[in-house]
Amino acid sequence: MTAQAQVYQLFSGKLFALCLKYSRNYQDAEDTLQDSFLTIFKKMPQYQNKGSFEGWMKRITINTALQKYREKSPLQLVAEVSNEEIEEDVVLETENISVETLLKLIQNLPDRYRLVFNLYVLDNYSHKEIATLLKITEGTSKSNLSRAKQILKKEMELHLTKVQNA
């Protein structure tokens, strides 16, 4: 087995899960994973053993996913709103929802909200880092995150209502 095949076998599962978070569907996630590994193998000589190898691959995968969205269509990010309009702490009650259902709800978010939500909540990027990655302001990042949480909360409540009434 070649070294590349071993790297793929070791990390493809984790990176595919990451791709699913940033993709609309399974097929898009597969495409992103494939493109990510092509970039990883091409740039492997540039890895300088600083930080974890897995973290380096995750950054490439996230950047690949973001690049795919920029190529498909320009991101339609919501314009910045004033701080008074941003609902700071929308609490998402996730204990009654399966991981699969939550992932589907996240995948159904509009692209602009899904990307900010994933970067901030799931991958621990700061609003400043998100602003740089997506070429938006920090305020826009915050408002997109707030809106994503509002939409998710509403969709989770609808899902739970359907399950309880079934």
Side-chain angles (χ1 to χ4, degrees), residues 43-122:
K43 293 187 174 192
M44 196 150 323
Q46 297 173 18
Y47 177 67
Q48 299 176 359
N49 295 320
K50 292 181 181 171
S52 78
F53 182 63
E54 184 177 338
W56 178 77
M57 291 190 305
K58 283 181 177 181
R59 279 191 306 281
I60 289 175
T61 303
I62 289 169
N63 286 332
T64 300
L66 295 176
Q67 184 61 37
K68 288 176 91 54
Y69 280 107
R70 282 192 286 265
E71 288 171 359
K72 277 186 181 176
S73 62
L75 287 175
Q76 300 296 317
L77 294 163
V78 172
E80 189 171 340
V81 295
S82 67
N83 286 341
E84 298 89 48
E85 296 178 51
I86 298 174
E87 197 174 317
E88 279 302 316
D89 280 330
V90 175
V91 178
L92 300 176
E93 303 291 335
T94 59
E95 61 270 354
N96 295 324
I97 293 191
S98 71
V99 172
E100 294 81 19
T101 300
L102 187 57
L103 179 60
K104 281 186 173 151
L105 294 176
I106 291 169
Q107 285 176 321
N108 288 332
L109 285 170
D111 292 346
R112 60 191 176 266
Y113 300 137
R114 185 179 67 253
L115 294 175
V116 172
F117 180 85
N118 284 333
L119 288 167
Y120 187 84
V121 175
L122 303 177

Side-chain angles (χ1 to χ4, degrees), residues 18 21-22 62 66 86-90 92 106 109 111-134 136-149 152:
L18 185 64
K21 290 189 316 192
Y22 286 90
I62 289 169
L66 295 176
I86 298 174
E87 197 174 317
E88 279 302 316
D89 280 330
V90 175
L92 300 176
I106 291 169
L109 285 170
D111 292 346
R112 60 191 176 266
Y113 300 137
R114 185 179 67 253
L115 294 175
V116 172
F117 180 85
N118 284 333
L119 288 167
Y120 187 84
V121 175
L122 303 177
D123 293 316
N124 299 313
Y125 281 74
S126 69
H127 284 295
K128 184 175 185 175
E129 293 168 317
I130 294 167
T132 301
L133 275 172
L134 299 179
I136 59 175
T137 66
E138 287 183 52
T140 300
S141 177
K142 289 176 184 178
S143 66
N144 282 323
L145 175 63
S146 175
R147 187 69 182 122
K149 285 181 175 181
L152 270 178

